[in-house]
Amino acid sequence: MHDHKRYTVRYRDANSNRIEGCYYAGDAFEARVLAMEMIKYIKDHPNAIDLIRCEEGHSSLMAA
């Protein structure tokens, strides 16, 4: 896990509440996949993700 960085994945639930989760992943796409595996709502509604942010260094921001 030495090449992994911490990513915040933010999504909106059925009530439009913003919820964030943190995942250690190699890139933003892997963080998205992990979130989909861990959270059934995201798996069923992948477009609910509105932000994936790398929390380490000066990495870029990916908005869905």
Side-chain angles (χ1 to χ4, degrees), residues 30-54:
E30 184 180 355
R32 179 181 183 271
V33 170
L34 288 171
M36 290 175 69
E37 290 175 354
M38 302 285 286
I39 301 170
K40 182 175 178 4
Y41 185 82
I42 295 176
K43 183 177 182 179
D44 294 342
H45 305 90
N47 291 330
I49 296 172
D50 63 5
L51 176 82
I52 300 173
R53 177 179 58 231
C54 182

Side-chain angles (χ1 to χ4, degrees), residues 12-23:
R12 290 189 179 266
D13 67 8
N15 296 319
S16 293
N17 297 312
R18 283 187 176 159
I19 302 171
E20 294 184 351
C22 290
Y23 302 90

Side-chain angles (χ1 to χ4, degrees), residues 6-10 20 27-29 49-64:
R6 189 175 69 188
Y7 288 86
T8 296
V9 176
R10 185 177 73 195
E20 294 184 351
D27 58 23
F29 182 79
I49 296 172
D50 63 5
L51 176 82
I52 300 173
R53 177 179 58 231
C54 182
E55 299 295 346
E56 296 180 17
H58 295 286
S59 252
S60 61
L61 180 73
M62 182 187 118

